[in-house]
Amino acid sequence: MDLWSKIVRGIIAHVALLLFSSYGATGEEVCDSPLVSNLLPSSFRSSSHLSNSHGPGYAKLNRREGAGGWSPLSSDRYQWLEVDLGGRTQITAVATQGRYGSSDWLTAYLLMFSDTGHNWKQYRQEDGIEVFPGNSNADSVVQYKLQQPVIARYLRLIPLDWNPNGRIGLRLETFGCLYHSDVVSFDGGSSLLYRMSPRPRQMTRESISLKFKTLRNSGILLHAQGQSGHSLTLELEGGKLLLQLRQVRSSSPDLQRRVSLGSLLDDQHWHHVAVERHNTHLNLTVDRSTQWVQIPARLTHWDLDQLSVGADQLHGSQMSVISNRNFHGCLENLLYNGLSLIDLAKQNDQRVTGKGNVTFSCAEPVFVAVTFTGPRSFLWLQGATDPSSGGVSVGLQFRTWNKAGLLLTFDLPKQEGLGWLYLSMARVHLQIYKAGKVLLELSTGSGLNDGQWHSVELSSRRGRLTITVDAGEGASAHAGPSLPVTTGSHLFFGGCPADETSHECRNPFNAFQGCMRLLTLDNRLVDLILVQQRLLGNYSHLQIDMCGIIDRCSPSHCEHAGSCSQSWRTFHCNCSSSGYGGATCHSSMYEQSCEAYKHKGNVSGFYYIDVDGSGPIRPQLIYCNMTEEETWMVIQHNNTELTSVRPSPGRNQHSVHFDYASEEEQLAAIINQSQHCEQELVYHCRKSRLLNTPEGSPFSWWVGGQGPGPGQVQTYWGGALPGSQQCACGLQENCVDPKHYCNCDADRNEWTNDSGLLTHKETLPVRSVVLGDVQRPGSEGAYRVGPLRCHGDKNFWNAAFFDKETSYLHFPTFHGELSADISFLFKTTATSGVFLENLGIKDFIRIELSSSSEILFSFDVGNGPLEVRVEAGVPLNDNRWHRVRAERNVKEASLRLDELPVATQEAPADGHIHLQLNSQLFIGGTASRQKGFRGCIRSLQLNGVTLDLEQRARITPGVRPGCPGHCSSYGSLCQNRGHCVERSNGFSCDCGLSAYTGAFCNREVSASFKSGTSVSYTLTEPNRNSSAPSSSIYSDFDLTLRAENISLSFKTSQSPALLLYISSYYREYLALLVSEHDKLEVRYRLDSSRDAEVLKSRQRNLADGQLHTVTISRLADAVSVQIDQNPRQHFNLTSDVEFNAIKSLVLGKVHKSGELDPELARLASLGFTGCLSSVHFNSISPLKAALLQPDFSPVVITGPLVQSNCGFSTSANPYPAETTHHLSGQAGSVGTGQPLVNAIRSDSALIGGVIAVVVFVTASALAIMARFLYRRKGAFQRQDVKGTKPEDGPELPFNSQADSLDVPSNNQKEYFI
């Protein structure tokens, strides 16, 4: 067959292919027809070829003509093969093959595409991967389906790696179909105006879509406006797409929306834009990124009737013909609600008006760019050939993300020096260097690392040196005629050759990474295509005819409002002030509940709570009340005070709305996460009815519930059931009038009230209250809505026990494509086991106990397995709780165990980033049922969502819900002799044997004493009633002690003063007092026939009004005394060592002093004025019993005893003081007095402002005070703790039949659940 026949046959086949492909594209059939096999040889180009038989025209799949494929002259990474598809084509797949019958094939390559044969763009997958896998031999075909189809006319393949035992060899095929489009071009002074006639009807969904390409970074793509004044604008600004929705006639920010998306859109490549409105929100899409935008209700109906394309013609009288805001470039397939507006313009539709030079093709200017990819990149050009010309001019444009980099190096033959033009701190600098000295330095410009194109010109004429940045709108710097500059024969752009040893190029700065274009020498443009062909200058490690800059911050991988900054290779997230941490601001820095804070040993105060961890809900400042049996989260609103309501002229109802300190989604999450929530609702009334009316409809109601809606109307009151239209007294059948179900409905002329707790979580919180019977003469009322209070974190103690290595729980697939955090607690006695595993086709994620002291976090997202390990250094199979926190994001993986340092591993800079899993998530085992975990897993959270292990364990064999044994891990939280008690979910601290109280027995019990105050604690009673049980309240009569441990804190200005007195039935005693010399004395009289032995301390000035702590320990005749942090003093008794038949312990005034020495009796009669705190005698706490259980039979209180906080300063806790919230009234109470209210007001906003200020000032003052006191007394408490150690003094119980003289077993317990 002759050549002409081949050409004709090829043309016919190509036309048939185009027709078939066109049908496939329009008929939405598969677009996978072969595109290369029927092309003419002239459609192929290459960088070089080994011989004519190795030419590019032979690079067709499965062909054997010529040498069986294309091979270049040399095998390196500067070679390429290019295919002209004859027109814009949709490419869906690429297939490669080695050269037939050879050892030549590619193992990896890059794919580039272009519409013009210039300005190439590199194809990247969704993960940013740019490298395509090649072949493993010369004959097999490797086909790769593109994740996103490419639309281009030209395709270029660049070999990266090849068979090491051969050369580059290639045959290829591409698959796809012909692409059709409507195109229009604007020159900056042209535009189109569309008038919608007839006007479009209002629709719930509207859409605008288009494609554009441009070299300008600003310009209006489209401006639309409706009759109602609504407008929509799509505009380029700084290379980003800006969407503006606004009400033209209003300047209110509530009637505007401004959204920015995309970046580097001025690269002269096609970019897709779509705006879709769905009722009250819209989706803005730029290329592959979509942003969801909530829009104001008044902007939900666009009713657009005019669209201006390419410029804002709707304000044309105010605009110049050519404006910087006008668009300069091409648009394609502009659709409004499916209507092609470009097609209307092409058809000269009367609804379309053109302005200026509008053409229906895309004329593209050619600007050849070059990309400097790394430290070894450089471009060398010949400088001035005539150094005697007396001047030089070098110009270029660049774009980069780096703050520093060398732009240009040039030699100065006349000065025998070098010149550098470089970036530093995002400014352009010029430095002239000679013989080790800097002769000249200039700088200009700022913020030049913003990724935008910036121009730089260096010129030297008549001895005047000038550098200009962004001519016309930038800055410049000048140097005088004292230093004329002329360049030599060498100009190095971007860097220096790696093997350069001469003085011609030295780079003391960072290498430039970025793009350059429009290089000029003496105002003549450098042809970079000749450079690429090695016909001009020289280069290394460059990408010519393309700009490979990538915006790694668009879309941003920084979560939770973290700010993104970047360099050429990576990005950085600034997480400050976000409340989140990690490489991408993913992991929350705060706990998810007050319960979690409490288990770390914290006490009541304000804490930041992040209810969903790494989820979208922001942290919030919440008060945690840890003083009660439960741990309460308290959410305030703008009016929690009792507020009066009186008749107001013209108002039939009184309505009040409550604004909470937390946002709606935060409230909903707290309520759903808590086991119990409640809110107090109170109404005090006099002749003001509440709910029941003769007609049956309520006078008053309230609105509650979670979510974005208005809430649900509720017609029941606090303490009653939803829907009952009753109050608490109606439910309890004790209303003041049995005919009514609320006290207020009795309509009496005296004050009464209805109050109670709302406890149904579905109806909380209370959003508003409407009071209807407040207008009659004599009607008065006062309402109070308390703060929302919730307790019980359902997630924190959710646990499962795996008793076999083959047992496991399974859950739906874990979705953590770009970021994943996993946290849990575990305890075990096993040496290894898998905690968690989820598999994909190739990807996986796994956390395991790899040995008895090591945790391993491993995963694969397509770059090969990556492992992060933490070595504990101690056994982890100690059956105690250990916390694991693992995170994986696009930048790094991290693993933390307990409070050990975080271990991290960086992710590849340009590797796969999506974690693609498809199997079930296995907990406590693996899919293969190997290496299962034996032990407990608790509080397992994935991306802030807690998995309900207990619910799944109830239906899974081999796994039990819950996990006991918390005291082994948390028992140390019970301080000051507190005892840890196991509970099914959690633990509690029994403070019965402690002088302290509180959740962890760390809150001191203190009291103020007057001179007449006396607390007597009877230790033994000789005349017991025979009917009384043999109790622990009283001990046997002959109770004898050979040892004591006494500790207390006191504060007084009185001297002398008796602090503590212990008596005996045998006229023996022990007394602790402050002497008249302000010293501490301990008096022992253990032999009634001898005088008391007096042990005197060395410390003076103890009656100084400051808090002092005393610890006394005795074992037989050895006595030690310690005061505050001073060294312990040691004494020896010379009398008897037994304290026989002890009777009672007295604090303060001793009323029965007949058995005392005269001097001691005088002191005892004076009493004690001051404060005592944390009094402990062996195993009893008399002051605690007196304050918390004053009716307890061994305790007798005489005179005023007032609980105080004088011992607070000894606490090492820096948080605010604890507070307890109580109800303000009881249901059913009736009285004649008016309820106490803070103010007669209903202005919620004002109250909210006052409350906010008070809370802030109070919290600040308490924090400062606590910090001051903590710093002053913190060391003292540490010494106090030391004083209780066994080696300092044995802590012995009474050595009688009674084991303890503690309060009864029903003492207060502080529970931690």
Side-chain angles (χ1 to χ4, degrees):
M1 184 180 294
D2 59 14
L3 179 61
W4 177 250
S5 299
K6 290 183 179 180
I7 293 174
V8 172
R9 180 180 176 182
I11 293 174
I12 294 173
H14 190 62
V15 170
L17 168 64
L18 295 181
L19 291 175
F20 175 79
S21 301
S22 174
Y23 167 76
T26 58
E28 298 184 358
E29 299 294 332
V30 290
C31 182
D32 59 357
S33 301
L35 305 174
V36 172
S37 57
N38 293 317
L39 293 179
L40 299 176
S42 59
S43 299
F44 296 82
R45 293 177 60 233
S46 64
S47 53
S48 65
H49 49 269
L50 187 61
S51 67
N52 288 336
S53 61
H54 292 80
Y58 296 110
K60 295 182 179 181
L61 200 69
N62 294 322
R63 296 292 185 88
R64 303 182 181 182
E65 293 89 350
W70 167 70
S71 284
L73 184 61
S74 59
S75 292
D76 56 45
R77 293 190 173 188
Y78 298 108
Q79 308 302 321
W80 46 266
L81 175 68
E82 180 182 311
V83 180
D84 179 2
L85 297 175
R88 294 187 68 203
T89 305
Q90 179 171 320
I91 305 167
T92 58
V94 177
T96 59
Q97 195 177 28
R99 191 169 63 82
Y100 176 73
S102 72
S103 299
D104 304 338
W105 61 82
L106 304 182
T107 57
Y109 61 92
L110 300 179
L111 190 63
M112 321 285 284
F113 57 91
S114 168
D115 279 351
T116 62
H118 292 288
N119 188 32
W120 294 91
K121 186 170 185 178
Q122 189 170 313
Y123 180 83
R124 293 179 181 272
Q125 304 172 41
E126 289 184 357
D127 278 354
I129 301 298
E130 53 194 33
V131 179
F132 285 78
N135 301 86
S136 56
N137 55 56
D139 297 322
S140 62
V141 176
V142 175
Q143 181 170 325
Y144 191 90
K145 185 176 181 180
L146 305 184
Q147 293 178 348
Q148 295 289 333
V150 171
I151 297 173
R153 174 176 175 175
Y154 296 91
L155 200 69
R156 180 176 283 189
L157 190 147
I158 299 178
L160 288 181
D161 291 299
W162 45 91
N163 179 20
N165 298 318
R167 323 173 43 89
I168 293 175
L170 177 65
R171 290 175 285 174
L172 87 161
E173 180 62 272
T174 62
F175 302 89
C177 53
L178 192 64
Y179 178 75
H180 293 287
S181 64
D182 293 318
V183 180
V184 62
S185 180
F186 302 96
D187 61 4
S190 54
S191 61
L192 291 173
L193 178 63
Y194 294 83
R195 291 182 176 86
M196 301 301 171
S197 179
R199 299 189 188 282
R201 59 183 178 85
Q202 288 190 354
M203 295 180 291
T204 58
R205 300 182 62 180
E206 296 180 84
S207 65
I208 297 175
S209 64
L210 58 89
K211 288 187 176 182
F212 73 90
K213 68 186 321 184
T214 182
L215 282 169
R216 308 287 178 87
N217 67 356
S218 62
I220 294 177
L221 298 174
L222 179 146
H223 177 81
Q225 194 165 310
Q227 273 194 328
S228 59
H230 296 171
S231 70
L232 178 148
T233 304
L234 289 173
E235 181 177 4
L236 281 179
E237 190 175 273
K240 301 176 182 289
L241 185 76
L242 178 66
L243 167 67
Q244 295 187 83
L245 285 174
R246 62 188 297 263
Q247 171 65 258
V248 178
R249 303 184 186 93
S250 173
S251 59
S252 171
D254 294 333
L255 294 178
Q256 298 184 33
R257 282 294 182 272
R258 182 183 173 96
V259 183
S260 179
L261 192 62
S263 179
L264 306 176
L265 302 178
D266 55 342
D267 59 357
Q268 194 62 12
H269 289 283
W270 288 107
H271 296 282
H272 170 68
V273 178
V275 182
E276 299 173 294
R277 182 184 65 81
H278 304 269
N279 292 324
T280 60
H281 76 274
L282 60 82
N283 294 328
L284 173 63
T285 301
V286 176
D287 296 331
R288 300 178 186 178
S289 300
T290 299
Q291 185 167 340
W292 185 91
V293 182
Q294 184 74 35
I295 55 178
R298 292 180 59 182
L299 297 180
T300 55
H301 297 292
W302 291 352
D303 68 354
L304 304 178
D305 57 3
Q306 296 184 89
L307 286 88
S308 176
V309 182
D312 183 3
Q313 281 196 39
L314 304 181
H315 300 88
S317 60
Q318 306 170 16
M319 304 275 292
S320 59
V321 175
I322 298 180
S323 166
N324 289 333
R325 293 191 64 200
N326 291 355
F327 178 68
H328 195 291
C330 304
L331 293 184
E332 177 182 85
N333 293 345
L334 172 59
L335 303 177
Y336 174 58
N337 291 336
L339 178 65
S340 175
L341 301 185
I342 297 177
D343 186 59
L344 291 180
K346 291 168 64 175
Q347 302 300 327
N348 295 318
D349 192 285
Q350 61 181 0
R351 293 171 288 180
V352 183
T353 303
K355 182 178 180 181
N357 183 25
V358 178
T359 58
F360 297 102
S361 62
C362 189
E364 301 188 44
V366 175
F367 290 108
V368 178
V370 58
T371 304
F372 295 78
T373 58
R376 294 187 292 173
S377 299
F378 75 91
L379 168 61
W380 171 78
L381 294 176
Q382 185 75 33
T385 56
D386 183 10
S388 64
S389 60
V392 65
S393 174
V394 179
L396 59 92
Q397 290 185 3
F398 73 90
R399 72 190 313 175
T400 184
W401 300 116
N402 293 355
K403 292 183 177 181
L406 180 63
L407 297 174
L408 173 66
T409 302
F410 53 92
D411 60 330
L412 302 169
K414 289 188 176 182
Q415 289 80 18
E416 297 182 353
L418 288 175
W420 291 295
L421 189 69
Y422 63 96
L423 284 174
S424 178
M425 299 302 295
R427 292 171 55 86
V428 170
H429 293 252
L430 173 66
Q431 189 177 107
I432 305 299
Y433 179 86
K434 177 183 178 182
K437 295 182 180 180
V438 176
L439 302 183
L440 173 70
E441 185 161 6
L442 298 176
S443 66
T444 186
S446 63
L448 302 178
N449 65 326
D450 57 359
Q452 304 295 312
W453 284 107
H454 297 281
S455 64
V456 180
E457 184 177 3
L458 167 66
S459 63
S460 176
R461 291 288 185 267
R462 299 189 182 93
R464 183 176 177 81
L465 185 63
T466 303
I467 52 174
T468 303
V469 175
D470 294 337
E473 55 185 34
S476 60
H478 309 275
S482 60
L483 188 65
V485 173
T486 57
T487 62
S489 58
H490 301 285
L491 295 174
F492 291 90
F493 293 85
C496 294
D499 57 351
E500 184 65 50
T501 57
S502 70
H503 69 281
E504 296 172 347
C505 188
R506 295 200 304 273
N507 182 8
F509 311 102
N510 293 332
F512 175 74
Q513 290 178 298
C515 302
M516 293 187 189
R517 71 180 184 188
L518 298 179
L519 275 63
T520 60
L521 301 179
D522 293 330
N523 297 318
R524 293 192 299 271
L525 188 66
V526 176
D527 189 343
L528 293 174
I529 297 300
L530 293 180
V531 174
Q532 184 183 38
Q533 296 171 351
R534 305 283 183 179
L535 301 176
L536 178 64
N538 193 13
Y539 68 92
S540 177
H541 293 87
L542 297 184
Q543 294 175 339
I544 298 180
D545 207 4
M546 66 170 291
C547 179
I549 190 171
I550 300 173
D551 192 340
R552 301 180 187 274
C553 290
S554 180
S556 175
H557 291 295
C558 301
E559 303 178 47
H560 301 109
S563 60
C564 181
S565 59
Q566 61 186 307
S567 61
W568 184 260
R569 287 295 182 188
T570 188
F571 68 93
H572 173 73
C573 295
N574 183 355
C575 308
S576 60
S577 302
S578 70
Y580 297 83
T584 59
C585 312
H586 175 77
S587 296
S588 179
M589 299 168 60
Y590 306 111
E591 300 293 343
Q592 292 186 248
S593 66
C594 293
E595 190 86 7
Y597 278 112
K598 185 177 179 180
H599 103 282
K600 299 176 73 173
N602 296 293
V603 297
S604 298
F606 286 92
Y607 297 90
Y608 277 102
I609 303 293
D610 195 338
V611 289
D612 67 337
S614 59
I617 301 177
R618 297 183 302 172
Q620 54 195 315
L621 190 63
I622 287 179
Y623 184 76
C624 296
N625 185 354
M626 305 178 190
T627 62
E628 303 180 23
E629 180 175 319
E630 307 293 351
T631 303
W632 293 92
M633 301 174 71
V634 184
I635 300 97
Q636 297 286 345
H637 56 75
N638 58 332
N639 183 14
T640 57
E641 302 298 331
L642 189 62
T643 305
S644 288
V645 180
R646 288 178 178 166
S648 299
R651 295 177 61 183
N652 295 324
Q653 294 176 334
H654 180 86
S655 177
V656 59
H657 180 75
F658 301 100
D659 296 320
Y660 287 82
S662 301
E663 299 177 358
E664 293 292 344
E665 56 184 5
Q666 294 170 336
L667 285 171
I670 289 174
I671 293 172
N672 292 331
Q673 175 179 307
S674 301
Q675 292 178 339
H676 171 83
C677 289
E678 65 185 36
Q679 197 164 9
E680 185 186 21
L681 187 57
V682 176
Y683 188 55
H684 292 264
C685 55
R686 185 168 69 179
K687 289 192 66 66
S688 177
R689 293 163 293 180
L690 187 59
L691 293 181
N692 296 319
T693 64
E695 296 81 16
S697 59
F699 284 108
S700 305
W701 61 86
W702 55 276
V703 177
Q706 309 124 46
Q712 297 179 342
V713 174
Q714 305 294 335
T715 58
Y716 72 101
W717 210 247
L721 299 176
S724 64
Q725 200 168 323
Q726 295 184 12
C727 299
C729 69
L731 185 66
Q732 299 166 6
E733 298 182 352
N734 61 354
C735 295
V736 295
D737 186 345
K739 297 179 181 178
H740 298 280
Y741 298 107
C742 295
N743 291 317
C744 290
D745 289 341
D747 202 19
R748 296 191 177 185
N749 200 28
E750 63 248 356
W751 284 99
T752 184
N753 77 81
D754 288 294
S755 62
L757 294 175
L758 305 171
T759 59
H760 291 81
K761 296 200 300 181
E762 297 78 9
T763 64
L764 296 178
V766 178
R767 297 173 178 270
S768 59
V769 171
V770 178
L771 303 172
D773 190 20
V774 294
Q775 302 306 313
R776 294 183 298 154
S779 293
E780 290 185 84
Y783 65 87
R784 179 181 185 269
V785 176
L788 177 67
R789 304 174 74 231
C790 297
H791 74 73
D793 184 350
K794 293 190 295 186
N795 301 329
F796 189 74
W797 298 105
N798 191 297
F801 175 68
F802 301 82
D803 57 3
K804 299 178 182 178
E805 289 188 355
T806 57
S807 58
Y808 62 89
L809 299 176
H810 59 84
F811 290 86
T813 305
F814 174 45
H815 295 287
E817 286 77 7
L818 294 177
S819 57
D821 74 278
I822 302 170
S823 66
F824 59 91
L825 294 99
F826 77 92
K827 67 174 185 175
T828 184
T829 56
T831 57
S832 64
V834 175
F835 300 117
L836 173 150
E837 182 185 81
N838 206 161
L839 305 178
I841 298 177
K842 295 182 178 179
D843 297 359
F844 73 89
I845 188 169
R846 182 185 301 115
I847 303 177
E848 61 185 296
L849 180 67
S850 55
S851 71
S852 62
S853 61
E854 184 182 69
I855 301 295
L856 172 62
F857 174 37
S858 58
F859 62 89
D860 188 353
V861 296
N863 305 313
L866 189 148
E867 296 182 346
V868 188
R869 299 174 182 268
V870 172
E871 172 63 43
V874 295
L876 298 175
N877 57 340
D878 55 359
N879 205 29
R880 301 184 65 180
W881 287 114
H882 298 279
R883 187 176 185 183
V884 176
R885 285 162 286 184
E887 180 183 348
R888 176 262 155 191
N889 54 59
V890 298
K891 285 206 69 176
E892 67 180 23
S894 63
L895 178 64
R896 186 171 190 182
L897 172 66
D898 295 332
E899 300 304 319
L900 295 174
V902 180
T904 60
Q905 287 282 355
E906 289 189 5
D910 293 306
H912 293 278
I913 61 176
H914 284 84
L915 176 65
Q916 299 176 341
L917 307 173
N918 56 18
S919 71
Q920 289 183 321
L921 169 65
F922 284 81
I923 306 299
T926 65
S928 61
R929 300 190 181 184
Q930 300 297 317
K931 297 177 64 178
F933 172 73
R934 286 190 299 109
C936 293
I937 297 177
R938 175 165 71 85
S939 189
L940 175 60
Q941 297 181 336
L942 283 71
N943 280 347
V945 178
T946 301
L947 299 188
D948 194 343
L949 301 178
E950 294 186 355
Q951 185 274 334
R952 191 60 61 93
R954 291 187 184 97
I955 58 175
T956 304
V959 186
R960 298 200 301 266
C963 191
H966 303 295
C967 284
S968 61
S969 300
Y970 299 118
S972 60
L973 294 176
C974 299
Q975 305 172 32
N976 302 305
R977 305 175 189 174
H979 173 62
C980 183
V981 179
E982 292 286 352
R983 302 184 68 186
S984 57
N985 278 338
F987 67 96
S988 66
C989 291
D990 183 353
C991 305
L993 299 179
S994 172
Y996 293 70
T997 185
F1000 301 115
C1001 310
N1002 58 354
R1003 180 157 55 91
E1004 296 192 0
V1005 179
S1006 308
S1008 296
F1009 282 69
K1010 301 295 183 182
S1011 60
T1013 305
S1014 173
V1015 174
S1016 176
Y1017 191 103
T1018 303
L1019 300 173
T1020 58
E1021 175 60 54
N1023 298 320
R1024 291 180 296 174
N1025 190 324
S1026 60
S1027 63
S1030 178
S1031 67
S1032 61
I1033 296 178
Y1034 300 108
S1035 298
D1036 290 340
F1037 173 75
D1038 57 347
L1039 184 61
T1040 299
L1041 298 180
R1042 293 180 58 86
E1044 302 92 37
N1045 284 295
I1046 303 171
S1047 63
L1048 61 84
S1049 298
F1050 70 91
K1051 179 167 64 175
T1052 186
S1053 299
Q1054 173 188 345
S1055 67
L1058 181 63
L1059 302 177
L1060 176 145
Y1061 172 72
I1062 303 175
S1063 64
S1064 162
Y1065 287 100
Y1066 293 153
R1067 301 181 64 84
E1068 299 173 356
Y1069 66 81
L1070 185 159
L1072 180 64
L1073 57 94
V1074 177
S1075 72
E1076 59 186 3
H1077 302 295
D1078 291 357
K1079 290 185 175 182
L1080 184 75
E1081 291 185 3
V1082 182
R1083 298 189 179 187
Y1084 271 102
R1085 183 179 176 181
L1086 302 184
D1087 186 344
S1088 59
S1089 64
R1090 300 176 59 179
D1091 292 336
E1093 298 187 61
V1094 181
L1095 314 179
K1096 297 182 179 181
S1097 71
R1098 291 189 292 263
Q1099 284 72 40
R1100 298 176 178 270
N1101 302 319
L1102 297 181
D1104 57 357
Q1106 301 297 318
L1107 194 70
H1108 300 283
T1109 295
V1110 179
T1111 303
I1112 302 170
S1113 297
R1114 180 180 74 92
L1115 179 60
D1117 64 339
V1119 181
S1120 65
V1121 179
Q1122 184 177 25
I1123 302 175
D1124 297 336
Q1125 304 173 39
N1126 298 295
R1128 186 180 294 272
Q1129 288 183 256
H1130 297 278
F1131 305 90
N1132 287 100
L1133 300 178
T1134 60
S1135 60
D1136 195 0
V1137 297
E1138 292 186 345
F1139 194 179
N1140 297 295
I1142 60 173
K1143 180 172 62 174
S1144 63
L1145 182 152
V1146 179
L1147 304 174
K1149 187 172 184 178
V1150 180
H1151 293 284
K1152 297 180 181 180
S1153 57
E1155 59 191 27
L1156 298 179
D1157 300 333
E1159 181 186 0
L1160 193 59
R1162 182 179 62 84
L1163 291 180
S1165 64
L1166 295 176
F1168 172 73
T1169 302
C1171 182
L1172 290 177
S1173 175
S1174 303
V1175 181
H1176 202 87
F1177 172 61
N1178 282 1
S1179 59
I1180 69 169
S1181 304
L1183 186 59
K1184 177 181 176 182
L1187 289 172
L1188 301 184
Q1189 292 183 317
D1191 298 329
F1192 180 43
S1193 55
V1195 178
V1196 177
I1197 302 173
T1198 305
L1201 182 69
V1202 180
Q1203 189 167 358
S1204 70
N1205 62 348
C1206 68
F1208 175 74
S1209 58
T1210 64
S1211 173
N1213 170 47
Y1215 296 103
E1218 299 176 332
T1219 59
T1220 305
H1221 300 264
H1222 301 284
L1223 298 182
S1224 61
Q1226 298 295 327
S1229 62
V1230 179
T1232 57
Q1234 182 176 355
L1236 178 64
V1237 295
N1238 286 353
I1240 301 173
R1241 59 192 304 177
S1242 58
D1243 188 343
S1244 300
L1246 180 58
I1247 294 173
V1250 173
I1251 290 175
V1253 172
V1254 171
V1255 168
F1256 176 80
V1257 172
T1258 303
S1260 301
L1262 288 174
I1264 294 172
M1265 181 183 72
R1267 179 175 177 82
F1268 169 77
L1269 294 175
Y1270 163 66
R1271 294 180 62 183
R1272 181 163 183 165
K1273 293 295 183 179
F1276 160 74
Q1277 187 187 23
R1278 290 191 296 273
Q1279 186 67 25
D1280 179 41
V1281 174
K1282 290 180 181 178
T1284 63
K1285 289 184 178 179
E1287 59 267 27
D1288 293 332
E1291 186 177 344
L1292 301 177
F1294 294 105
N1295 56 356
S1296 67
Q1297 295 178 2
D1299 294 332
S1300 172
L1301 293 182
D1302 193 14
V1303 292
S1305 59
N1306 62 348
N1307 273 353
Q1308 174 189 6
K1309 294 184 180 180
E1310 309 287 341
Y1311 290 104
F1312 179 28
I1313 59 173

